[in-house]
Amino acid sequence: MKIGICASINQIGTMEEIGFDYIEPAVTEIAHMTDNEYRETLRRAEDSGISCDAFNILFPGDFRLTGPEIDTIKVKDYLVGAFERVAELGAKVVVFGSGGARRVPENYKFEDGWNDLVKTAKLIGDVASQYDISIAVEPLNKRETNIINSVAEGIRFVDEVDHPNIKLLADFYHMRVENEPMNVIGEATDILVHAHIACGQGRHYPLSIDDDIYDQFFTQLKGISYNGRISIEGSTQDVYKDGPIALNLLRELAF
């Protein structure tokens, strides 16, 4: 497995120095850059010794992906511009979390919201296919959104979308918040393309095997012969101190 870190692309030098295999910035960060800012970012990434294999935060929170206010043309135009940039930066996987954008509005039937999101995901998949990017649908805990709150629901969603570029992510932190059993990962053998991890208590960097049941998570990943990427998505007060500790722990667990 490749071990990466969710961080601003401006930190690529720091993350390379610590030893991560890749960095996972936000799509929104890249999409909102001016042309001059983007060209400088591209230069910095090309000069780096690590890659930008993965990106997260696909949509800004003010986008509507469910409900009566969906603007399909706006969504597609945004995706084309965003994917063109992240593909040039090296994206292989883009994480589709975006809990605010996908939230089903109040007084709107959940089933209709689900169907809206399926249609939106098909559109995302169509655009992503033009750039050879896999989309990893991220189940989020119920505090962050009200749709696709478990890996089990994510599996059902991906199966229903039935698009070759729409796959699944397993996030250890969200699984722990929702008390989801780790063995559900065994049901995602053919569709799991990415993973996130942070301590289930406090969402900080994983620093010790005793912090949480990390070993169970990795046992399940190994059980399906998962050999993709796993990114730390958590907080730290000192990345230079905690980064190497977390990286070494995850490498031990992965291998």
Side-chain angles (χ1 to χ4, degrees), residues 5 57 64 70 72 91 103 108 123 126 131 142-143 161 164-165 169 174 177 200 210 233 235 247-248 254:
I5 183 79
I57 314 181
R64 295 303 327 139
I70 300 172
T72 303
R103 176 180 291 275
Y108 192 76
L123 171 60
D126 286 344
Y131 299 91
K142 294 183 181 70
R143 295 198 297 262
V161 174
N165 290 76
L169 178 150
H174 292 296
V177 171
D210 298 322
E233 187 182 32
S235 62
L247 178 59
N248 290 335

Side-chain angles (χ1 to χ4, degrees), residues 17-219:
E17 181 181 345
I18 290 172
F20 287 103
D21 296 320
Y22 65 92
I23 189 171
E24 183 176 324
V27 174
T28 51
E29 176 185 12
I30 306 301
H32 290 146
M33 288 178 174
T34 66
D35 288 343
N36 286 339
E37 289 170 339
Y38 172 69
R39 283 193 293 270
E40 174 59 24
T41 294
L42 179 62
R43 182 200 62 76
R44 188 183 305 120
E46 290 175 340
D47 289 344
S48 173
I50 63 173
S51 57
C52 301
D53 289 2
F55 288 79
N56 56 33
I57 314 181
L58 177 53
F59 290 99
D62 59 355
F63 265 60
R64 295 303 327 139
L65 305 179
T66 60
E69 298 179 7
I70 300 172
D71 185 339
T72 303
I73 295 175
K74 178 182 177 182
V75 170
K76 185 174 182 180
D77 287 347
Y78 168 79
L79 288 171
V80 169
F83 283 165
E84 184 173 323
R85 285 185 170 185
V86 299
E88 190 173 24
L89 284 163
K92 302 295 187 295
V93 174
V94 169
V95 176
F96 179 24
S98 306
R102 80 188 198 206
R103 176 180 291 275
V104 179
E106 293 183 15
N107 303 317
Y108 192 76
K109 289 183 179 179
F110 181 83
E111 182 180 355
D112 291 341
W114 179 277
N115 292 334
D116 289 344
L117 200 59
V118 167
K119 292 177 184 177
T120 299
K122 289 179 184 290
L123 171 60
I124 297 169
D126 286 344
V127 180
S129 69
Q130 300 173 31
Y131 299 91
D132 197 25
I133 290 172
S134 292
I135 302 299
V137 176
E138 181 178 23
L140 302 170
N141 72 75
K142 294 183 181 70
R143 295 198 297 262
E144 298 190 15
T145 194
N146 60 1
I147 187 169
I148 314 177
N149 302 119
S150 66
V151 171
E153 290 177 356
I155 293 170
R156 180 164 69 90
F157 181 80
V158 170
D159 286 346
E160 191 168 332
V161 174
D162 191 24
H163 192 291
N165 290 76
I166 301 298
K167 304 295 184 180
L168 185 69
L169 178 150
D171 186 305
F172 178 85
Y173 169 77
H174 292 296
M175 292 180 74
R176 292 295 283 149
V177 171
E178 293 298 320
N179 293 311
E180 188 170 22
M182 295 295 150
N183 62 11
V184 70
I185 291 172
E187 301 173 22
T189 302
D190 297 327
I191 60 173
L192 191 71
V193 295
H194 198 47
H196 281 168
I197 192 165
C199 181
Q201 301 295 324
R203 204 173 191 174
H204 56 72
Y205 281 23
L207 299 175
S208 168
I209 191 67
D210 298 322
D211 281 348
D212 214 323
I213 55 171
Y214 305 129
D215 56 338
Q216 294 185 30
F217 186 61
F218 278 90
T219 294

